[in-house]
Amino acid sequence: MTASTWSPSISKASGPLYLTIADALAVDIASGRLPAGTRLPPQRTLAEQLGIDFTTVSRAYTEARRRGLIEGRVGQGTYVR
């Protein structure tokens, strides 16, 4: 799977959408669907794919970073830890 093809499985779950996306990242990492070193799609690209606001994806990535799931590399993108 490439970064441009990853898209979280999100549904009309209760709670904030950004947490749903962060949780989907955690599930996909734990299942091996997103192995360490995988580059994630840019935030704007993912927002467009999902038809949601950029800020929501930004908050999701921030939450995933806080959980230690991903890391940002300046000028390179966001990667699974």
Side-chain angles (χ1 to χ4, degrees), residues 9-24 67:
S9 298
I10 56 174
S11 62
K12 300 287 184 192
S14 60
L17 184 55
Y18 80 96
L19 290 177
T20 302
I21 295 169
D23 291 343
R67 295 181 191 182

Side-chain angles (χ1 to χ4, degrees), residues 2-74:
T2 64
S4 61
T5 62
W6 181 79
S7 184
S9 298
I10 56 174
S11 62
K12 300 287 184 192
S14 60
L17 184 55
Y18 80 96
L19 290 177
T20 302
I21 295 169
D23 291 343
L25 261 170
V27 167
D28 286 347
I29 291 168
S31 73
R33 184 172 177 226
L34 285 174
T38 301
R39 184 174 181 208
L40 296 174
Q43 295 174 30
R44 289 192 193 286
T45 301
L46 187 57
E48 289 172 11
Q49 287 174 352
L50 298 175
I52 61 175
D53 191 72
F54 166 78
T55 306
T56 303
V57 175
S58 180
R59 289 182 73 189
Y61 276 32
T62 298
E63 175 63 18
R65 216 174 276 113
R66 187 190 68 75
R67 295 181 191 182
L69 300 172
I70 62 174
E71 63 182 354
R73 300 179 192 161
V74 177

